[in-house]
Amino acid sequence: MAAKVGIFAAILLVCAILLPLLASSFPNHRPEFLEHDSSKTDVTIHGDNNNVVHANVNDIAIPSSNYETRNERSLKEKKKSNKNKNKNKNKKNKKEMKSHEHGFEAFNFEHPLIGGGHHGYPHVFPGYNVDPITEEPEILGGLKEGFYQNTCPQAEQIIKNGLTRAFQNDSTIAAAIPRLFLHDCFVKGCDGSIFLDTTPSGGKVEKLSPSNGVTVKGFELIDEIKAELEENCPGIVSCSDVLAYLSRDAFVASGLPHYEVSGGRRDGMESRVENVVGNLPLPDDTVDQMIQLFNRKGLNAEDLVVLIGAHSIGVAHCFNFLYRMDTPEKAQMVDPRLGGVMKFTCTSQMSTIAFDATTQYKMDSVFYKQLLMKKGLLESDQVLTQDIRTRGFVQRFSNDEVGWFNKFGVAMNKLGAVEVLTGNQGEIRKQCRAVNL
């Protein structure tokens, strides 16, 4: 027993000698800790050498793990070293470097060379100047949305007001204007050539073609709007752009949601009746013929079916469809009740029937539903339900009016970009019926 007590006393003696020596080897090294009352915003930080610092909790980034704590300390040490190495850098870069030391969220952005980053926001990295990402107006075929924003900011409103006045007096103008637009764009591009009464060459002009003639109207409205534009912004807005904006406003007045239209077209200086042949769809065209025509203009089968939906409003002259009842094979493609209406109403070849008698003045998907019931007036409209390349689009749009609306504005802008003149090409006519002298 006495031996055990002696051993224990010896161990205590050794500990008493060694512990002070070990403590002296690690002087004043205390771990950091925070004294924080959740009801207070002041934080007392105790660190090495018993230094005490008071800070505001809102100014302190508190890591969520020990791993993050070590990484942040290492990052700060590296940046501190880099600062010492780069004392000759300009003050702006130093300031940006400092601000990013505490902006840990900036590192959530992916590297621009690798890809990614939050959509619509610039990539941000410490010490680099980053230009903000700004969305430019869409440019299509050399055209641009908001084209007249600086040169004639009231242009689109003047055009819209003109359409509104005309529509209140004659609701059929809403269908006439877009038809004028297609007939202009498909013949040598959207250059306002359909407006010209004469040209320097003295030949017959497009509007005298049998495909145009008495079946196109709206020229007086174009003249009225153009004159008002010339009073406010002389020599700025082209006749071809007036027609593009006016077509959009006609559809919107008929119930289509608003869509942006690109501008920047210039007016052409020639108009020839012979250019019309083979460049406009005909009422007895096959699907093959229509798709080929649209393809030549940079449009596809879906665009064809989308734009045919413009027949949701307007009328057709009897000479464009009454022949269908004269051939038994063609007559089978006509709903019997519609066939009876055709025979009863068409007292002359110039008589008219609404494409969509149910909602004649409203842009909606009823037109597609009627095609599926063989109630399309034009043969070229009805055959779209018989071809595998187009039938699916007709069925889809008959059940998805919103989807059709969304595609319609896109297709109209594609149509409005066909063979356009831009930049220094063509001219800006002073009045739409004649080239400038």
Side-chain angles (χ1 to χ4, degrees):
M1 183 66 181
K4 290 182 179 180
V5 172
I7 293 171
F8 183 72
I11 291 173
L12 289 177
L13 180 60
V14 170
C15 289
I17 295 171
L18 292 178
L19 286 176
L21 293 175
L22 291 172
S24 63
S25 299
F26 303 94
N28 300 322
H29 193 83
R30 299 168 58 186
E32 296 181 358
F33 65 94
L34 301 179
E35 293 179 352
H36 179 51
D37 183 344
S38 61
S39 63
K40 299 178 181 180
T41 59
D42 288 333
V43 178
T44 303
I45 304 175
H46 294 273
D48 294 343
N49 301 320
N50 289 323
N51 292 327
V52 178
V53 178
H54 295 280
N56 189 287
V57 70
N58 296 323
D59 297 328
I60 300 174
I62 302 177
S64 58
S65 68
N66 290 334
Y67 175 78
E68 293 178 5
T69 303
R70 291 193 298 270
N71 282 347
E72 289 172 12
R73 289 176 184 169
S74 176
L75 180 62
K76 290 181 180 179
E77 289 172 2
K78 289 180 180 179
K79 289 182 177 180
K80 184 176 180 180
S81 175
N82 289 336
K83 283 185 179 181
N84 293 331
K85 293 179 181 179
N86 298 289
K87 289 182 179 180
N88 293 329
K89 286 189 176 181
N90 61 58
K91 293 182 179 180
K92 181 178 180 180
N93 284 344
K94 286 186 177 180
K95 184 176 181 181
E96 290 176 355
M97 181 79 76
K98 184 176 181 181
S99 65
H100 284 294
E101 285 178 3
H102 301 289
F104 296 108
E105 292 183 358
F107 295 96
N108 291 331
F109 297 100
E110 297 177 16
H111 195 283
L113 296 180
I114 299 175
H118 299 295
H119 179 69
Y121 294 91
H123 297 280
V124 179
F125 294 94
Y128 290 86
N129 296 325
V130 182
D131 294 330
I133 293 176
T134 57
E135 290 189 7
E136 289 292 333
E138 182 178 358
I139 297 178
L140 182 65
L143 308 177
K144 179 180 178 182
E145 292 179 10
F147 184 81
Y148 296 104
Q149 184 175 356
N150 296 324
T151 56
C152 188
Q154 67 271 44
E156 291 190 45
Q157 188 62 49
I158 290 174
I159 295 169
K160 179 181 178 181
N161 291 343
L163 185 282
T164 301
R165 290 192 301 269
F167 186 75
Q168 290 172 345
N169 294 326
D170 179 12
S171 56
T172 65
I173 197 68
I177 293 298
R179 185 168 186 264
L180 202 58
F181 185 52
L182 183 138
H183 282 224
D184 181 45
C185 291
F186 265 33
V187 180
K188 294 295 183 178
C190 309
D191 62 352
S193 55
I194 198 170
F195 300 140
L196 293 174
D197 289 335
T198 60
T199 63
S201 65
K204 288 186 177 182
V205 293
E206 291 175 25
K207 64 170 57 174
L208 297 179
S209 166
S211 296
N212 292 317
V214 296
T215 66
V216 292
K217 67 177 186 177
F219 299 107
E220 293 77 11
L221 177 58
I222 299 292
D223 293 339
E224 175 189 327
I225 293 173
K226 177 60 173 174
E228 187 174 352
L229 287 167
E230 286 299 303
E231 289 180 5
N232 288 270
C233 313
I236 298 297
V237 184
S238 67
C239 298
S240 47
D241 271 352
V242 171
L243 184 55
Y245 291 121
L246 198 61
S247 297
R248 183 268 311 278
D249 295 334
F251 285 129
V252 172
S254 304
L256 193 79
H258 177 89
Y259 60 92
E260 294 299 325
V261 171
S262 300
R265 299 165 191 80
R266 306 266 294 180
D267 298 323
M269 302 177 69
E270 71 170 28
S271 179
R272 298 178 179 177
V273 67
E274 56 266 27
N275 290 339
V276 176
V277 179
N279 280 312
L280 289 178
L282 300 175
D284 61 348
D285 274 351
T286 65
V287 174
D288 276 336
Q289 290 172 321
M290 288 188 288
I291 288 179
Q292 289 172 9
L293 174 60
F294 273 64
N295 284 345
R296 293 206 317 267
K297 307 303 178 182
L299 304 169
N300 56 36
E302 183 179 26
D303 297 323
L304 164 63
V305 180
V306 168
L307 292 174
I308 285 293
H311 286 167
S312 178
I313 58 176
V315 298
H317 289 83
C318 289
F319 66 80
N320 282 321
F321 58 80
L322 191 57
Y323 71 90
R324 299 175 66 192
M325 303 306 298
D326 298 333
T327 307
E329 183 180 353
K330 292 182 182 295
Q332 290 179 357
M333 291 299 297
V334 181
D335 175 77
R337 287 169 293 183
L338 177 61
V341 172
M342 288 179 178
K343 293 179 179 179
F344 178 79
T345 305
C346 291
T347 57
S348 76
Q349 291 292 322
M350 292 304 296
S351 298
T352 60
I353 297 179
F355 284 112
D356 173 10
T358 306
T359 56
Q360 179 180 350
Y361 301 107
K362 182 182 179 183
M363 287 286 287
D364 55 28
S365 61
V366 173
F367 170 75
Y368 292 108
K369 292 181 172 67
Q370 292 186 339
L371 288 184
L372 295 172
M373 296 186 291
K374 297 184 178 181
K375 293 183 178 181
L377 280 179
L378 301 184
E379 183 181 6
S380 56
D381 288 354
Q382 192 61 59
V383 294
L384 295 176
T385 65
Q386 303 301 310
D387 193 286
I388 190 173
R389 293 167 294 179
T390 52
R391 178 178 175 83
F393 295 126
V394 175
Q395 292 174 326
R396 183 195 307 173
F397 299 145
S398 71
N399 295 315
D400 184 9
E401 185 172 273
V402 173
W404 171 57
F405 283 164
N406 291 336
K407 289 181 177 294
F408 194 87
V410 176
M412 281 296 290
N413 272 313
K414 288 178 66 176
L415 171 61
V418 173
E419 299 177 52
V420 292
L421 303 175
T422 59
N424 294 323
Q425 299 172 317
E427 64 179 8
I428 305 297
R429 291 185 208 144
K430 296 178 181 178
Q431 72 103 352
C432 295
R433 293 176 182 263
V435 299
N436 297 336
L437 298 178

